[in-house]
Coordinates of all heavy atoms in Angstrom, one line a residue:
M50 N 0.7 26.2 3.0 CA 0.0 25.3 2.0 C -0.6 24.1 2.8 O -1.7 23.7 2.2 CB 1.0 25.1 0.9 CG 0.4 24.5 -0.3 SD -0.7 25.7 -1.1 CE -1.3 25.0 -2.5
R51 N 0.1 23.5 3.7 CA -0.4 22.4 4.2 C -1.6 22.5 5.1 O -2.5 21.8 5.1 CB 0.8 21.8 5.2 CG 0.6 20.5 5.6 CD 1.8 19.9 6.3 NE 1.7 18.4 6.3 CZ 2.7 17.7 6.6 NH1 3.8 18.3 7.0 NH2 2.6 16.4 6.5
W52 N -1.8 23.8 5.8 CA -2.9 24.2 6.6 C -4.1 24.4 5.5 O -5.3 24.0 5.9 CB -2.6 25.3 7.3 CG -2.4 26.6 6.5 CD1 -1.2 27.1 6.1 CD2 -3.4 27.5 6.1 NE1 -1.3 28.1 5.3 CE2 -2.6 28.6 5.3 CE3 -4.7 27.6 6.2 CZ2 -3.3 29.7 4.8 CZ3 -5.4 28.7 5.6 CH2 -4.7 29.6 4.9
L53 N -3.9 24.8 4.4 CA -5.1 25.1 3.4 C -5.6 23.6 3.0 O -6.7 23.5 2.9 CB -4.6 25.8 2.2 CG -5.5 26.1 1.1 CD1 -6.6 27.0 1.6 CD2 -4.9 26.7 0.0
K54 N -4.7 22.7 2.8 CA -5.2 21.4 2.5 C -5.9 20.8 3.5 O -7.1 20.2 3.4 CB -3.9 20.4 2.1 CG -4.3 19.2 1.7 CD -3.0 18.3 1.5 CE -3.4 16.8 1.2 NZ -2.2 16.0 1.0
G55 N -5.6 20.9 4.8 CA -6.3 20.5 6.0 C -7.7 21.2 6.2 O -8.6 20.7 6.5
V56 N -7.8 22.5 5.9 CA -8.9 23.2 5.9 C -10.0 22.8 4.8 O -11.1 22.4 5.0 CB -8.7 24.8 5.8 CG1 -10.0 25.6 5.6 CG2 -8.0 25.4 7.0
I57 N -9.4 22.6 3.7 CA -10.3 22.0 2.5 C -10.8 20.7 2.9 O -11.9 20.3 2.7 CB -9.6 22.1 1.3 CG1 -9.2 23.5 0.8 CG2 -10.3 21.4 0.2 CD1 -8.3 23.7 -0.4
L58 N -10.0 19.9 3.4 CA -10.4 18.5 3.7 C -11.4 18.5 4.9 O -12.4 17.9 4.9 CB -9.1 17.7 4.2 CG -9.4 16.2 4.6 CD1 -9.8 15.6 3.4 CD2 -8.1 15.6 5.2
A59 N -11.3 19.5 5.9 CA -12.3 19.6 6.9 C -13.5 20.1 6.4 O -14.6 19.5 6.8 CB -11.7 20.6 8.1
V60 N -13.5 21.0 5.5 CA -14.9 21.4 4.9 C -15.5 20.4 4.1 O -16.8 20.2 4.3 CB -14.6 22.7 4.0 CG1 -15.7 23.0 3.2 CG2 -14.1 23.9 4.9
I61 N -14.8 19.6 3.4 CA -15.4 18.4 2.7 C -15.9 17.4 3.6 O -17.1 17.0 3.4 CB -14.2 17.9 1.6 CG1 -14.0 18.8 0.5 CG2 -14.8 16.6 1.1 CD1 -13.0 18.5 -0.3
L62 N -15.2 17.1 4.6 CA -15.8 16.1 5.6 C -17.0 16.6 6.3 O -17.9 15.8 6.5 CB -14.5 15.9 6.6 CG -14.8 14.9 7.8 CD1 -15.0 13.6 7.0 CD2 -13.8 14.8 8.8
V63 N -17.0 17.9 6.7 CA -18.2 18.4 7.3 C -19.5 18.4 6.4 O -20.5 17.9 6.8 CB -18.0 19.8 7.8 CG1 -19.3 20.5 8.3 CG2 -17.0 19.8 9.1
A64 N -19.1 18.8 5.0 CA -20.3 18.8 4.0 C -20.6 17.3 3.9 O -22.0 16.9 3.8 CB -19.8 19.4 2.7
V65 N -19.7 16.3 3.8 CA -20.2 15.0 3.6 C -21.0 14.5 4.9 O -22.0 13.7 4.8 CB -19.0 14.0 3.4 CG1 -19.4 12.5 3.4 CG2 -18.4 14.3 2.1
L66 N -20.5 14.8 6.0 CA -21.3 14.4 7.3 C -22.6 14.9 7.2 O -23.5 14.3 7.7 CB -20.5 14.9 8.5 CG -20.9 14.5 9.8 CD1 -20.9 12.8 9.9 CD2 -20.1 15.1 10.9
L67 N -22.8 16.3 7.0 CA -24.1 16.9 6.9 C -25.0 16.2 5.9 O -26.2 16.1 6.2 CB -24.1 18.4 6.7 CG -23.3 19.2 7.8 CD1 -23.3 20.7 7.4 CD2 -24.3 19.2 9.0
I68 N -24.4 16.0 4.8 CA -25.4 15.3 3.8 C -25.8 13.8 4.3 O -26.9 13.5 4.0 CB -24.6 15.1 2.4 CG1 -24.5 16.6 1.8 CG2 -25.3 14.2 1.5 CD1 -23.5 16.5 0.5
G69 N -24.9 13.2 4.8 CA -25.3 11.8 5.5 C -26.3 12.0 6.5 O -27.1 11.1 6.7
I70 N -26.2 13.0 7.3 CA -27.3 13.2 8.3 C -28.6 13.4 7.7 O -29.6 12.9 8.1 CB -26.8 14.3 9.5 CG1 -25.6 13.8 10.4 CG2 -28.0 14.7 10.2 CD1 -25.0 14.9 11.1
L71 N -28.5 14.5 6.8 CA -29.8 14.7 6.1 C -30.4 13.5 5.4 O -31.6 13.3 5.4 CB -29.6 15.8 5.1 CG -29.4 17.1 5.6 CD1 -29.0 18.2 4.5 CD2 -30.7 17.6 6.3
F72 N -29.5 12.8 4.8 CA -30.0 11.5 4.1 C -30.7 10.5 5.2 O -31.7 9.9 4.9 CB -28.7 10.8 3.5 CG -29.0 9.5 2.8 CD1 -29.8 9.4 1.7 CD2 -28.7 8.3 3.4 CE1 -30.0 8.1 1.1 CE2 -28.9 7.0 3.0 CZ -29.7 7.0 1.7
A73 N -30.0 10.3 6.3 CA -30.6 9.4 7.3 C -31.9 9.9 7.9 O -32.9 9.2 8.1 CB -29.4 9.2 8.4
V74 N -32.0 11.2 8.0 CA -33.2 11.8 8.6 C -34.3 11.7 7.6 O -35.5 11.4 8.1 CB -33.0 13.3 9.0 CG1 -34.3 14.0 9.3 CG2 -32.0 13.4 10.2
N75 N -34.0 11.9 6.3 CA -35.0 11.9 5.3 C -35.6 10.5 4.8 O -36.5 10.3 4.1 CB -34.7 12.7 4.1 CG -34.7 14.2 4.4 OD1 -35.5 14.6 5.2 ND2 -33.9 14.9 3.7
N76 N -34.8 9.4 5.3 CA -35.1 8.0 5.0 C -35.3 7.2 6.2 O -34.6 6.2 6.3 CB -34.0 7.4 4.1 CG -33.9 8.1 2.7 OD1 -34.8 8.0 2.0 ND2 -32.8 8.8 2.4
R77 N -36.3 7.5 6.9 CA -36.6 6.8 8.2 C -37.5 5.6 7.9 O -37.8 4.8 8.9 CB -37.3 7.7 9.2 CG -36.2 8.7 9.7 CD -36.9 9.5 10.9 NE -35.9 10.4 11.3 CZ -36.3 11.3 12.4 NH1 -37.4 11.3 12.9 NH2 -35.3 12.2 12.7
E78 N -38.2 5.6 6.8 CA -39.1 4.5 6.5 C -38.6 3.1 6.6 O -37.5 2.8 6.2 CB -39.7 4.7 5.1 CG -40.7 3.8 4.7 CD -41.4 3.9 3.3 OE1 -41.3 5.0 2.9 OE2 -41.9 3.0 2.8
A79 N -39.3 2.4 7.5 CA -38.8 0.9 7.6 C -39.0 0.1 6.5 O -40.1 0.1 6.0 CB -39.4 0.3 8.9
V80 N -38.0 -0.6 5.9 CA -38.1 -1.4 4.7 C -37.5 -2.8 5.0 O -36.3 -2.9 5.4 CB -37.3 -0.9 3.7 CG1 -37.5 -1.5 2.3 CG2 -37.9 0.7 3.3
P81 N -38.4 -3.9 4.8 CA -37.7 -5.2 4.9 C -36.9 -5.6 3.7 O -37.2 -5.1 2.6 CB -38.9 -6.2 5.1 CG -40.0 -5.5 4.3 CD -39.7 -3.9 4.5
L82 N -35.9 -6.2 3.8 CA -34.9 -6.5 2.8 C -34.9 -8.0 2.4 O -34.5 -8.9 3.1 CB -33.4 -6.1 3.1 CG -32.4 -6.3 2.0 CD1 -32.9 -5.3 0.9 CD2 -31.0 -5.9 2.6
N83 N -35.4 -8.3 1.1 CA -35.6 -9.6 0.7 C -34.4 -10.1 -0.2 O -34.3 -9.6 -1.2 CB -37.0 -9.8 0.0 CG -37.2 -11.2 -0.3 OD1 -36.4 -12.1 0.0 ND2 -38.4 -11.5 -0.9
L84 N -33.6 -11.0 0.3 CA -32.4 -11.5 -0.5 C -32.6 -12.8 -0.9 O -32.1 -13.8 -0.5 CB -31.2 -11.4 0.4 CG -30.7 -10.0 0.9 CD1 -29.7 -10.3 2.0 CD2 -30.4 -9.2 -0.1
I85 N -33.6 -13.1 -1.8 CA -33.9 -14.3 -2.4 C -33.9 -15.4 -1.5 O -35.1 -16.1 -1.2 CB -33.1 -14.6 -3.7 CG1 -33.2 -13.5 -4.7 CG2 -33.5 -15.9 -4.3 CD1 -32.2 -13.6 -6.0
W86 N -32.9 -15.8 -0.9 CA -32.8 -17.0 0.0 C -33.2 -16.6 1.6 O -33.3 -17.5 2.2 CB -31.4 -17.6 -0.1 CG -30.4 -16.8 0.3 CD1 -29.9 -16.5 1.5 CD2 -29.5 -16.0 -0.7 NE1 -28.8 -15.7 1.4 CE2 -28.6 -15.4 0.2 CE3 -29.5 -15.7 -1.9 CZ2 -27.7 -14.3 -0.4 CZ3 -28.7 -14.8 -2.4 CH2 -27.7 -14.1 -1.7
V87 N -33.1 -15.4 1.9 CA -33.5 -14.9 3.2 C -34.0 -13.6 3.3 O -33.7 -12.8 2.5 CB -32.1 -15.0 4.1 CG1 -31.1 -13.9 3.7 CG2 -32.5 -14.8 5.6
E88 N -35.0 -13.4 4.2 CA -35.6 -12.1 4.3 C -35.1 -11.4 5.6 O -35.3 -12.1 6.8 CB -37.1 -12.1 4.3 CG -37.7 -10.7 4.3 CD -39.2 -10.8 3.9 OE1 -39.6 -11.7 3.2 OE2 -39.9 -9.8 4.4
L89 N -34.6 -10.3 5.5 CA -34.2 -9.7 6.6 C -35.1 -8.7 7.4 O -36.0 -8.3 6.7 CB -32.8 -8.7 6.4 CG -31.6 -9.5 5.7 CD1 -30.4 -8.6 5.2 CD2 -30.9 -10.5 6.9
P90 N -35.0 -8.4 8.7 CA -36.0 -7.7 9.2 C -36.0 -6.2 8.7 O -35.1 -5.7 8.2 CB -35.6 -7.7 10.7 CG -34.0 -8.0 10.7 CD -33.9 -8.9 9.5
A91 N -37.2 -5.6 9.0 CA -37.3 -4.3 8.5 C -36.5 -3.2 9.4 O -36.3 -3.3 10.5 CB -38.8 -3.8 8.8
A92 N -35.9 -2.4 8.6 CA -35.0 -1.4 9.2 C -35.1 -0.2 8.3 O -35.6 -0.3 7.2 CB -33.5 -1.9 9.2
S93 N -34.6 0.9 8.7 CA -34.5 2.2 7.9 C -33.9 2.0 6.7 O -32.8 1.3 6.5 CB -33.9 3.2 8.9 OG -33.6 4.3 8.1
L94 N -34.4 2.6 5.7 CA -33.7 2.6 4.3 C -32.3 3.1 4.3 O -31.5 2.5 3.7 CB -34.6 3.4 3.4 CG -34.1 3.4 1.8 CD1 -34.1 2.0 1.3 CD2 -34.9 4.3 1.0
S95 N -32.0 4.1 5.1 CA -30.7 4.6 5.2 C -29.8 3.6 5.8 O -28.6 3.4 5.4 CB -30.7 6.0 6.0 OG -31.1 5.7 7.3
V96 N -30.2 2.7 6.9 CA -29.4 1.8 7.4 C -28.9 0.7 6.3 O -27.9 0.3 6.1 CB -30.1 1.0 8.6 CG1 -29.3 -0.2 9.0 CG2 -30.3 2.1 9.7
W97 N -30.0 0.2 5.4 CA -29.8 -0.7 4.4 C -28.8 -0.2 3.3 O -27.8 -0.8 2.9 CB -31.0 -1.2 3.8 CG -31.8 -2.1 4.6 CD1 -33.2 -1.8 5.0 CD2 -31.5 -3.2 5.4 NE1 -33.6 -2.8 5.8 CE2 -32.6 -3.6 6.1 CE3 -30.3 -3.9 5.5 CZ2 -32.6 -4.9 6.9 CZ3 -30.2 -5.0 6.3 CH2 -31.4 -5.5 7.0
L98 N -29.0 1.0 3.2 CA -28.1 1.7 2.0 C -26.6 1.8 2.5 O -25.7 1.5 1.9 CB -28.6 3.0 1.4 CG -29.8 2.8 0.7 CD1 -30.5 4.2 0.4 CD2 -29.6 2.1 -0.6
L99 N -26.6 2.3 3.8 CA -25.2 2.4 4.3 C -24.5 1.1 4.6 O -23.2 1.0 4.4 CB -25.2 3.3 5.7 CG -25.6 4.7 5.5 CD1 -25.8 5.4 6.8 CD2 -24.6 5.4 4.6
A100 N -25.3 0.0 5.1 CA -24.7 -1.3 5.1 C -24.2 -1.8 3.9 O -23.2 -2.5 3.6 CB -25.7 -2.1 5.7
S101 N -25.1 -1.5 2.7 CA -24.6 -2.1 1.4 C -23.3 -1.3 1.0 O -22.4 -1.8 0.2 CB -25.7 -1.9 0.4 OG -25.9 -0.5 0.1
L102 N -23.2 0.1 1.3 CA -22.0 0.7 1.0 C -20.8 0.2 1.8 O -19.7 0.0 1.2 CB -22.2 2.2 1.3 CG -21.0 3.1 1.1 CD1 -20.7 3.2 -0.3 CD2 -21.2 4.4 1.9
A103 N -20.9 -0.1 3.0 CA -19.9 -0.6 3.8 C -19.5 -2.0 3.4 O -18.4 -2.3 3.1 CB -20.4 -0.8 5.1
C104 N -20.5 -2.8 2.8 CA -20.1 -4.3 2.2 C -19.4 -4.0 1.0 O -18.4 -4.7 0.7 CB -21.3 -4.9 2.1 SG -22.1 -5.6 3.5
G105 N -19.9 -3.1 0.1 CA -19.1 -2.8 -1.1 C -17.7 -2.5 -0.9 O -16.7 -2.8 -1.6
V106 N -17.6 -1.5 0.0 CA -16.1 -1.0 0.3 C -15.3 -2.2 0.8 O -14.0 -2.4 0.3 CB -16.1 0.2 1.5 CG1 -14.7 0.3 2.0 CG2 -16.9 1.3 0.8
L107 N -15.7 -3.0 1.7 CA -14.9 -4.2 2.2 C -14.7 -5.2 1.0 O -13.6 -5.6 1.0 CB -15.7 -4.9 3.4 CG -15.8 -4.1 4.7 CD1 -16.7 -4.8 5.6 CD2 -14.4 -3.8 5.2
L108 N -15.6 -5.5 0.4 CA -15.5 -6.4 -0.8 C -14.4 -5.8 -1.9 O -13.7 -6.5 -2.4 CB -16.6 -6.6 -1.6 CG -17.7 -7.7 -0.8 CD1 -18.9 -7.8 -1.5 CD2 -17.1 -9.1 -0.6
G109 N -14.5 -4.4 -2.1 CA -13.5 -3.9 -3.0 C -12.1 -4.0 -2.4 O -11.3 -4.2 -3.1
M110 N -12.0 -3.8 -1.1 CA -10.6 -3.8 -0.5 C -10.1 -5.3 -0.6 O -8.9 -5.4 -0.9 CB -10.8 -3.5 1.0 CG -10.9 -1.9 1.2 SD -11.3 -1.4 2.8 CE -9.8 -1.9 3.7
V111 N -10.9 -6.2 -0.4 CA -10.5 -7.6 -0.4 C -10.2 -8.0 -1.8 O -9.2 -8.6 -2.0 CB -11.7 -8.6 0.1 CG1 -11.3 -10.0 -0.3 CG2 -11.8 -8.5 1.6
A112 N -10.9 -7.5 -2.7 CA -10.5 -7.8 -4.1 C -9.3 -7.1 -4.6 O -8.4 -7.7 -5.4 CB -11.7 -7.3 -5.1
M113 N -8.9 -6.0 -4.2 CA -7.7 -5.2 -4.5 C -6.5 -5.7 -3.8 O -5.3 -5.4 -4.1 CB -7.9 -3.7 -4.3 CG -8.9 -3.1 -5.3 SD -8.4 -3.6 -7.2 CE -6.8 -2.6 -7.1
S114 N -6.8 -6.4 -2.7 CA -5.6 -6.8 -1.8 C -4.7 -7.8 -2.6 O -3.4 -7.7 -2.4 CB -6.2 -7.5 -0.5 OG -6.7 -8.7 -0.8
G115 N -5.2 -8.6 -3.5 CA -4.4 -9.6 -4.3 C -3.5 -8.7 -5.3 O -2.2 -9.0 -5.3
V116 N -3.9 -7.6 -5.9 CA -3.2 -6.8 -6.8 C -2.2 -6.1 -5.9 O -1.0 -6.0 -6.3 CB -4.2 -5.9 -7.4 CG1 -3.3 -4.8 -8.3 CG2 -5.1 -6.6 -8.4
Y117 N -2.5 -5.6 -4.8 CA -1.7 -4.8 -3.9 C -0.4 -5.7 -3.4 O 0.7 -5.3 -3.7 CB -2.4 -4.3 -2.6 CG -1.4 -3.7 -1.6 CD1 -0.9 -2.4 -1.8 CD2 -1.2 -4.4 -0.5 CE1 -0.1 -1.9 -0.9 CE2 -0.2 -3.7 0.5 CZ 0.3 -2.5 0.3 OH 1.1 -2.0 1.2
L118 N -0.8 -7.0 -3.1 CA 0.3 -7.9 -2.7 C 1.3 -8.3 -3.7 O 2.5 -8.3 -3.6 CB -0.2 -9.1 -2.1 CG -1.0 -8.9 -0.6 CD1 -1.7 -10.2 -0.1 CD2 0.0 -8.3 0.3
R119 N 0.6 -8.5 -5.0 CA 1.5 -8.8 -6.1 C 2.4 -7.6 -6.4 O 3.7 -7.7 -6.6 CB 0.7 -9.1 -7.3 CG 1.4 -9.6 -8.6 CD 0.5 -10.0 -9.8 NE -0.5 -9.1 -10.0 CZ -0.2 -8.0 -11.0 NH1 1.0 -7.9 -11.4 NH2 -1.2 -7.2 -11.3
L120 N 1.9 -6.3 -6.5 CA 2.7 -5.3 -6.8 C 3.7 -4.9 -5.8 O 4.8 -4.6 -6.1 CB 1.8 -4.0 -7.0 CG 0.9 -3.9 -8.2 CD1 0.2 -2.7 -8.2 CD2 1.8 -4.0 -9.4
R121 N 3.3 -5.3 -4.4 CA 4.4 -5.0 -3.3 C 5.5 -6.1 -3.5 O 6.6 -5.7 -3.2 CB 3.5 -5.2 -2.0 CG 4.4 -4.9 -0.8 CD 4.7 -3.4 -0.7 NE 5.4 -3.1 0.6 CZ 5.9 -2.1 0.7 NH1 5.9 -1.0 -0.2 NH2 6.6 -1.9 1.8
T122 N 5.1 -7.3 -3.9 CA 6.1 -8.2 -4.1 C 7.2 -7.9 -5.3 O 8.4 -8.0 -5.1 CB 5.6 -9.7 -4.4 OG1 4.7 -10.1 -3.3 CG2 6.6 -10.8 -4.5
L123 N 6.6 -7.3 -6.3 CA 7.4 -6.9 -7.4 C 8.2 -5.7 -7.0 O 9.5 -5.7 -7.4 CB 6.5 -6.6 -8.7 CG 5.7 -7.6 -9.3 CD1 4.8 -7.2 -10.4 CD2 6.9 -8.5 -10.0
L124 N 7.7 -4.8 -6.2 CA 8.5 -3.7 -5.8 C 9.7 -4.1 -4.9 O 10.8 -3.7 -5.1 CB 7.7 -2.8 -5.0 CG 8.4 -1.6 -4.4 CD1 9.0 -0.6 -5.5 CD2 7.4 -0.7 -3.5
T125 N 9.5 -5.1 -4.0 CA 10.5 -5.5 -3.2 C 11.6 -6.3 -4.0 O 12.8 -6.0 -3.8 CB 10.0 -6.7 -2.2 OG1 8.9 -5.9 -1.4 CG2 11.0 -7.2 -1.1
R126 N 11.2 -7.1 -5.0 CA 12.2 -7.7 -5.8 C 13.0 -6.7 -6.7 O 14.3 -6.8 -6.8 CB 11.4 -8.6 -6.9 CG 11.0 -10.0 -6.3 CD 10.5 -10.8 -7.4 NE 9.7 -11.9 -6.7 CZ 8.8 -12.6 -7.5 NH1 8.5 -12.3 -8.8 NH2 8.2 -13.5 -6.9
A127 N 12.4 -5.7 -7.2 CA 13.1 -4.6 -7.9 C 14.0 -3.8 -7.0 O 15.2 -3.6 -7.5 CB 12.1 -3.6 -8.4
Q128 N 13.7 -3.6 -5.8 CA 14.4 -2.9 -4.8 C 15.8 -3.8 -4.6 O 16.9 -3.3 -4.4 CB 13.9 -2.5 -3.5 CG 12.8 -1.3 -3.7 CD 12.1 -1.1 -2.5 OE1 11.9 -2.0 -1.6 NE2 11.4 0.1 -2.3
R129 N 15.5 -5.1 -4.3 CA 16.6 -6.0 -4.0 C 17.6 -6.1 -5.3 O 18.8 -6.0 -5.1 CB 16.1 -7.4 -3.6 CG 17.2 -8.3 -3.1 CD 16.6 -9.7 -2.8 NE 15.4 -9.7 -2.0 CZ 14.2 -10.1 -2.2 NH1 13.9 -10.8 -3.4 NH2 13.2 -10.1 -1.5
H130 N 17.1 -6.1 -6.3 CA 17.7 -6.0 -7.6 C 18.7 -4.8 -7.8 O 19.8 -4.8 -8.1 CB 16.9 -6.4 -9.0 CG 17.7 -6.6 -10.2 ND1 18.5 -7.6 -10.4 CD2 17.7 -5.6 -11.1 CE1 19.0 -7.4 -11.7 NE2 18.5 -6.3 -12.2
N131 N 18.0 -3.8 -7.5 CA 18.6 -2.4 -7.6 C 19.8 -2.3 -6.6 O 20.8 -1.9 -6.9 CB 17.7 -1.3 -7.3 CG 18.2 0.0 -7.4 OD1 19.2 0.2 -8.1 ND2 17.5 1.1 -7.0
Q132 N 19.6 -2.7 -5.3 CA 20.7 -2.9 -4.4 C 21.9 -3.7 -4.9 O 23.0 -3.3 -4.8 CB 20.2 -3.4 -3.1 CG 21.1 -3.3 -1.9 CD 20.6 -3.7 -0.6 OE1 19.4 -4.4 -0.7 NE2 21.2 -3.4 0.5
Q133 N 21.7 -4.9 -5.4 CA 22.6 -5.6 -6.0 C 23.4 -5.1 -7.2 O 24.7 -5.2 -7.2 CB 22.1 -7.1 -6.4 CG 21.6 -8.0 -5.4 CD 20.9 -9.1 -5.9 OE1 20.6 -9.4 -7.2 NE2 20.6 -10.1 -5.1
Q134 N 22.6 -4.3 -8.0 CA 23.3 -3.6 -9.1 C 24.2 -2.5 -8.6 O 25.3 -2.2 -9.0 CB 22.3 -2.9 -10.0 CG 21.4 -4.1 -10.8 CD 22.3 -4.9 -11.7 OE1 23.3 -4.4 -12.3 NE2 22.1 -6.2 -11.7
R135 N 23.8 -1.8 -7.5 CA 24.6 -0.7 -6.9 C 25.9 -1.2 -6.1 O 26.9 -0.7 -6.3 CB 23.8 0.1 -5.8 CG 22.8 1.0 -6.3 CD 22.0 1.7 -5.3 NE 20.8 2.3 -5.8 CZ 20.8 3.6 -6.0 NH1 21.8 4.3 -5.6 NH2 19.8 4.2 -6.5
K136 N 25.8 -2.5 -5.6 CA 26.9 -3.2 -5.0 C 27.9 -3.5 -6.1 O 29.1 -3.3 -6.0 CB 26.6 -4.4 -4.1 CG 26.0 -3.9 -2.9 CD 25.6 -5.2 -2.2 CE 24.9 -5.0 -0.9 NZ 24.6 -6.2 -0.2
E137 N 27.4 -3.9 -7.2 CA 28.2 -4.3 -8.4 C 29.0 -3.1 -9.0 O 30.2 -3.2 -9.3 CB 27.5 -5.1 -9.4 CG 28.2 -5.5 -10.7 CD 29.0 -6.6 -10.4 OE1 29.1 -7.3 -9.3 OE2 30.0 -6.8 -11.2
I138 N 28.3 -2.1 -9.2 CA 28.8 -0.8 -9.7 C 30.0 -0.3 -8.6 O 31.0 0.1 -9.1 CB 27.7 0.3 -9.8 CG1 26.9 -0.1 -11.0 CG2 28.5 1.7 -10.0 CD1 25.6 0.7 -11.2
D139 N 29.7 -0.4 -7.4 CA 30.7 0.1 -6.4 C 32.0 -0.9 -6.3 O 33.1 -0.3 -6.4 CB 30.1 0.1 -5.0 CG 29.1 1.1 -4.7 OD1 29.1 2.1 -5.5 OD2 28.3 1.1 -3.7
R140 N 31.7 -2.1 -6.7 CA 32.8 -3.1 -6.7 C 33.6 -2.8 -7.9 O 34.8 -2.7 -7.9 CB 32.2 -4.5 -6.7 CG 33.4 -5.6 -6.5 CD 32.9 -6.9 -6.7 NE 32.1 -7.4 -7.9 CZ 32.8 -7.5 -9.1 NH1 34.2 -7.5 -9.1 NH2 32.1 -7.8 -10.2
L141 N 33.1 -2.5 -8.9 CA 33.7 -2.2 -10.2 C 34.4 -0.8 -10.1 O 35.6 -0.9 -10.7 CB 32.8 -2.3 -11.4 CG 32.2 -3.5 -11.8 CD1 31.1 -3.4 -12.9 CD2 33.3 -4.5 -12.3
R142 N 34.0 0.1 -9.5 CA 34.6 1.4 -9.3 C 35.8 1.2 -8.5 O 36.9 1.7 -8.7 CB 33.7 2.4 -8.7 CG 32.6 3.0 -9.6 CD 31.8 3.9 -8.9 NE 30.7 4.4 -9.8 CZ 29.6 5.0 -9.4 NH1 29.4 5.0 -8.2 NH2 28.7 5.4 -10.3
I143 N 35.7 0.4 -7.4 CA 36.9 0.2 -6.6 C 37.9 -0.7 -7.3 O 39.2 -0.3 -7.2 CB 36.4 -0.5 -5.3 CG1 35.6 0.3 -4.4 CG2 37.6 -1.1 -4.6 CD1 34.9 -0.4 -3.2
Q144 N 37.6 -1.6 -8.1 CA 38.5 -2.4 -8.8 C 39.2 -1.6 -9.9 O 40.4 -1.6 -10.1 CB 37.8 -3.5 -9.6 CG 38.7 -4.4 -10.4 CD 37.8 -5.4 -11.1 OE1 36.6 -5.5 -11.0 NE2 38.5 -6.4 -11.8
E145 N 38.4 -0.5 -10.5 CA 39.0 0.4 -11.6 C 40.0 1.2 -10.9 O 41.2 1.5 -11.4 CB 38.0 1.3 -12.2 CG 38.5 2.1 -13.3 CD 37.3 2.9 -13.8 OE1 36.4 2.3 -14.2 OE2 37.4 4.2 -13.9
L146 N 39.7 1.8 -9.6 CA 40.7 2.7 -9.0 C 42.0 1.9 -8.6 O 43.1 2.4 -8.5 CB 40.0 3.2 -7.7 CG 39.0 4.3 -7.9 CD1 38.3 4.7 -6.7 CD2 39.5 5.4 -8.7
K147 N 41.9 0.6 -8.2 CA 43.0 -0.2 -7.8 C 44.0 -0.4 -9.0 O 45.1 -0.5 -8.9 CB 42.6 -1.5 -7.2 CG 42.0 -1.4 -5.8 CD 41.7 -2.7 -5.3 CE 41.1 -2.6 -3.8 NZ 40.6 -3.9 -3.4
E148 N 43.4 -0.5 -10.2 CA 44.2 -0.8 -11.5 C 44.9 0.4 -11.9 O 45.8 0.4 -12.7 CB 43.2 -1.4 -12.7 CG 42.8 -2.8 -12.2 CD 41.7 -3.2 -13.2 OE1 41.4 -2.6 -14.2 OE2 41.4 -4.5 -13.0
L149 N 44.5 1.6 -11.5 CA 45.2 2.8 -11.9 C 46.7 2.8 -11.4 O 46.8 2.4 -10.3 CB 44.4 4.0 -11.5 CG 43.0 4.3 -12.2 CD1 42.4 5.6 -11.6 CD2 43.3 4.5 -13.8
P150 N 47.6 3.4 -12.2 CA 49.0 3.4 -11.8 C 49.4 4.4 -10.8 O 48.7 5.3 -10.2 CB 49.8 3.7 -13.0 CG 48.8 4.2 -14.0 CD 47.4 3.8 -13.6

């Protein structure tokens, strides 16, 4: 089953790669990018679109890092609390065994 997942992933990866190559080949026209306060030099349309995709991915990762860190902290606290509760249960079990005649 694991090899099937790998094969499917490889097929999807090759398909995305081919679509990306076709996209880059079909969008060779040089386009200057005007960002209100600065005008960037002319480059291929595919370069600008892929650069905007990369910037969006990076900004999304930065935006989600706060949520990730908060959830990671909550998980660590919960695990610590769980460990303390297990120690308390073990201590009570031992105490109960000592009290038996």
Side-chain angles (χ1 to χ4, degrees):
M50 194 65 173
R51 194 172 207 169
W52 63 272
L53 181 62
K54 182 179 176 182
V56 169
I57 292 172
L58 185 62
V60 169
I61 291 172
L62 183 65
V63 168
V65 168
L66 186 63
L67 288 175
I68 290 171
I70 290 171
L71 286 173
F72 176 75
V74 168
N75 289 329
N76 290 301
R77 288 187 181 176
E78 184 178 334
V80 177
L82 188 60
N83 187 356
L84 301 174
I85 300 174
W86 58 88
V87 66
E88 185 165 335
L89 299 174
S93 166
L94 179 61
S95 60
V96 169
W97 289 127
L98 290 174
L99 291 174
S101 67
L102 174 67
C104 288
V106 167
L107 290 174
L108 286 174
M110 289 172 62
V111 168
M113 290 305 297
S114 65
V116 173
Y117 173 77
L118 291 174
R119 183 174 55 87
L120 290 174
R121 189 71 180 162
T122 303
L123 289 173
L124 177 63
T125 304
R126 284 185 195 160
Q128 287 174 338
R129 192 177 310 124
H130 183 69
N131 189 14
Q132 187 178 12
Q133 290 173 351
Q134 295 297 320
R135 287 177 190 258
K136 285 180 182 178
E137 179 70 16
I138 289 173
D139 290 341
R140 188 184 62 77
L141 290 172
R142 283 182 183 155
I143 291 170
Q144 182 181 3
E145 182 181 311
L146 290 175
K147 288 180 180 178
E148 293 176 358
L149 289 176

